[in-house]
Amino acid sequence: STAALTNTTITSDAEGANAIFATGKNARIIVNNVKIQTRGNSSRGLDATYDGTIIADHADITTKGAHCAALATDRGEGTVTAVNSILSTAGDGSPCVYSTGNITLSHSSGIASGSEIAVVEGKNSITLDHVNLTGAVKHGVMLYQSFSGDADKGTASFTVKDSTLRTTSDGPMFYVTNTQAKAYVENTNLKLSSFT
C-alpha cells in the first residue's frame, strides 16, 4: 500500500499514537511539507516497522511524551529518509533519531531535550549528513543491543559527516554497550558540555 501526504498538519494526544506509520514490506509513505505534534507516550513522529518505508521532505516534528523519537524504526526494521526537516523531542527515551532499521537524515536540525541525540539498536544504522543536532541526557549517541527482541543482533552503524553534534549531558559523546559498533565521523564538530 502507498500513501502521500502534502501540506498537512497532524496532531495526536493518545498513548501509542504515532503520527505517520508504515508497516509491512510494501508499505510506502511519501511526506512533503508536513507539520506533526504528538503528546502521548510511545507516539513517534515518523515510524516504520517490518520493512515499511517513509520518505519525508520538509517535516516539522514535535513530540512531548516518553519513548517518542521524532524519526524511528521499530520491530521488524524499516527505512526512514528525511531531508530539510526540524525535529524536537521532550520526553525520556525520545532521541531525535531511534533506529532498529535504517534511518537517513540530511540538511536538518533537531533538539532532544530529554534524551540522547540518536540511538542505534542492534545490527542497524543511522546516517546523518549536514545536520545540527543536540541531545541532553546520559550520552550523545548510544549504540546498543537490548533484550526486548525489537532488533536483531549484529554490528550497529553510525555515520555522520559535515555536521554538528552537541550534548549537554555529562556522559560521553559515543556510548556502546552489549553490541559491536562502528562509528564514522567526517568533518563534524562534536561539542560536549564538559569541554565548553
Side-chain angles (χ1 to χ4, degrees):
S1 59
T2 62
L5 292 86
T6 302
N7 301 327
T8 303
T9 297
I10 298 172
T11 60
S12 73
D13 192 6
E15 183 107 2
N18 297 319
I20 296 176
F21 182 52
T23 184
K25 185 174 182 179
N26 296 316
R28 183 180 178 90
I29 302 176
I30 307 298
V31 176
N32 186 25
N33 194 28
V34 171
K35 186 171 184 177
I36 288 169
Q37 184 174 89
T38 71
R39 299 185 182 91
N41 295 333
S42 300
S43 300
R44 301 154 191 88
L46 308 180
D47 190 15
T49 68
Y50 292 102
D51 289 326
T53 298
I54 300 173
I55 300 172
D57 188 353
H58 287 90
D60 185 343
I61 302 170
T62 300
T63 70
K64 301 293 187 181
H67 309 293
C68 297
L71 307 181
T73 50
D74 212 323
R75 186 180 291 264
E77 304 180 15
T79 301
V80 175
T81 302
V83 299
N84 304 316
S85 295
I86 300 171
L87 315 177
S88 176
T89 67
D92 177 62
S94 302
C96 293
V97 185
Y98 189 106
S99 181
T100 62
N102 300 292
I103 300 180
T104 300
L105 176 67
S106 60
H107 298 279
S108 300
S109 62
I111 298 175
S113 60
S115 186
E116 295 89 354
I117 299 164
V119 177
V120 180
E121 183 178 350
K123 67 168 189 63
N124 299 296
S125 70
I126 290 174
T127 301
L128 306 175
D129 184 9
H130 286 87
V131 301
N132 189 331
L133 301 178
T134 299
V137 174
K138 295 183 180 178
H139 328 288
V141 175
M142 183 166 71
L143 310 169
Y144 84 118
Q145 177 68 56
S146 74
F147 300 100
S148 66
D150 288 341
D152 290 338
K153 295 179 180 179
T155 301
S157 177
F158 179 84
T159 301
V160 58
K161 64 178 182 178
D162 300 321
S163 298
T164 297
L165 301 181
R166 182 182 295 102
T167 178
T168 59
S169 74
D170 293 329
M173 178 58 74
F174 294 98
Y175 178 76
V176 179
T177 184
N178 294 334
T179 191
Q180 293 186 348
K182 295 180 180 179
Y184 303 90
V185 180
E186 178 182 339
N187 193 34
T188 292
N189 292 319
L190 303 177
K191 298 185 177 182
L192 293 86
S193 61
S194 55
F195 292 101
T196 57

